[in-house]
Amino acid sequence: MDQKIIFIGATGYETYCSQGRSALLDQGCLLLENHKSGPYSREELLELAPSISGVISGCEVWDEETISAAPHLKVIVKFGTGVDNIDLQAAKSHGVQVANCPGLNSVSVAEHTFALVLSCLRKVPSLDRSVREGQWERCVFPEISGAVWGVLGFGAAGREVAVRAKAFGAHVLAYDKFPNETAAQALGVRLCSLEEVLAQADILTIHLPALPETVHLINRTRIQTMKPGAVVVNTARGVVVDEKAIAGALSNGILSSYGSDVYEQEPIDGTSPLLTCPHTVFSPHLAGESINSYAKIGAAAAQSVLTVLSGGELDHRLA
């Protein structure tokens, strides 16, 4: 198959990734771009799969069925970090190289994490509604300065959050299965066990990947060990928290608020108990999306695709 057809599942690529897009077009690639507001369905992927040779993946699912339907597929590059929507074993068995673009959206994720934390602490959404409805609700808020900020996952995004939390005057604790002690020392962050972070954090932000051992890591039992009135914000993956347990803790006043960009089911199920809980702030899985991060990731993803299609091997190959 001579023509290189690249499916771009990441939304906004045409608008924000001019460098990466130009690189692909300059090499004669035909681009099938996602102009929807969300991911392609399985049926849509199966329809286009037979013609494609490369993918820059958004949140659409590449599993055994969709990968096996793409006989010319050589490479899938995730537009971002988390590859839980890509079956790595299926890709490997079909000879498809898989890579991601780690760290390139970490600043965007950190800034969005702060937006959610501040919205939770300062009750921004409810106060906005109150003013619009002609009320004049008065509140007294806790400050970040002097608070204990727990970071679960001390990778690129977690470290960027730690930098900003320290700048606000927080005492930062971090948990990571493979802790970066050099970075922690440089940033003035104390590395702790998961149990210590949960027990001491006034603010807990989650930056862990979706792995078998992280599914429902934040569950009813662990929430019971947290400080009463803690704030929890998740900008990592929805499955890391048990949403029913979070909803119960909010309703019972164990947690003061919960902010999330990610959900166990996406788009979030309309029957989710979270949607009727008090003191919640939500966004639709876009923490990593900024003009800056799109430009960087778009260029890196395009280069990875072109490397494989020209017969090369990816340096940071995941499958």
Side-chain angles (χ1 to χ4, degrees):
M1 188 176 184
D2 295 326
Q3 190 170 36
K4 295 170 286 190
I5 300 177
I6 312 302
F7 170 65
I8 301 177
T11 57
Y13 197 88
E14 181 177 7
T15 303
Y16 300 111
C17 303
S18 58
Q19 182 181 348
R21 194 168 184 274
S22 294
L24 293 169
L25 292 173
D26 288 346
Q27 294 300 313
C29 296
L30 174 65
L31 308 185
L32 302 179
E33 296 174 274
N34 180 4
H35 297 295
K36 300 168 54 175
S37 60
Y40 269 42
S41 67
R42 177 177 299 274
E43 292 71 24
E44 290 170 319
L45 291 180
L46 291 173
E47 184 176 348
L48 63 86
S51 66
I52 61 174
S53 48
V55 170
I56 296 177
S57 172
C59 294
E60 75 281 357
V61 176
W62 292 99
D63 56 15
E64 174 61 36
E65 184 182 16
T66 49
I67 291 173
S68 63
H72 306 291
L73 184 59
K74 301 296 183 186
V75 57
I76 301 174
V77 180
K78 179 61 184 281
F79 193 90
T81 303
V83 293
D84 46 302
N85 62 311
I86 303 169
D87 186 329
L88 299 181
Q89 187 56 48
K92 184 177 180 180
S93 68
H94 289 277
V96 177
Q97 294 190 47
V98 178
N100 59 358
C101 301
L104 298 181
N105 65 359
S106 56
V107 169
S108 180
V109 171
E111 291 186 359
H112 196 79
T113 299
F114 253 84
L116 290 175
V117 168
L118 288 167
S119 292
C120 286
L121 285 174
R122 295 271 166 171
K123 301 182 180 179
V124 174
S126 63
L127 291 175
D128 175 80
R129 288 193 298 270
S130 172
V131 171
R132 292 175 189 276
E133 292 168 0
Q135 302 173 25
W136 204 248
E137 182 182 354
R138 305 292 293 169
C139 300
V140 178
F141 309 108
E143 293 182 351
I144 293 175
S145 179
V148 176
W149 187 306
V151 175
L152 297 189
F154 197 55
R159 291 194 295 271
E160 292 289 352
V161 166
V163 168
R164 288 153 179 78
K166 292 286 290 184
F168 268 67
H171 306 288
V172 182
L173 313 179
Y175 162 76
D176 197 283
K177 186 176 181 180
F178 304 102
N180 187 327
E181 295 182 7
T182 302
Q185 185 174 4
L187 295 174
V189 171
R190 185 157 66 90
L191 294 171
C192 301
S193 68
L194 173 63
E195 290 73 22
E196 287 179 287
V197 174
L198 293 178
Q200 298 182 51
D202 300 297
I203 301 163
L204 183 74
T205 59
I206 301 170
H207 314 283
L208 294 165
L211 299 170
E213 61 265 30
T214 63
V215 172
H216 285 186
L217 185 75
I218 305 303
N219 52 34
R220 184 176 179 275
T221 300
R222 287 200 170 98
I223 291 171
Q224 294 291 338
T225 70
M226 295 178 65
K227 274 187 177 179
V231 173
V232 178
V233 166
N234 185 8
T235 54
R237 286 295 183 266
V239 296
V240 177
V241 305
D242 180 342
E243 292 180 351
K244 290 183 179 178
I246 291 285
L250 288 167
S251 297
N252 295 330
I254 298 170
L255 296 177
S256 68
S257 54
Y258 178 65
S260 190
D261 184 56
V262 290
Y263 311 92
E264 292 193 71
Q265 178 180 321
E266 295 185 0
I268 189 170
D269 185 348
T271 64
S272 170
L274 287 176
L275 295 178
T276 56
C277 279
H279 313 306
T280 51
V281 183
F282 301 127
S283 58
H285 200 155
L286 45 63
E289 299 183 14
S290 69
I291 293 172
N292 311 65
S293 69
Y294 259 64
K296 291 184 287 186
I297 296 171
Q303 185 55 57
S304 293
V305 166
L306 292 173
T307 294
V308 175
L309 295 185
S310 62
E313 290 278 334
L314 296 171
D315 291 335
H316 304 288
R317 184 173 176 177
L318 302 176

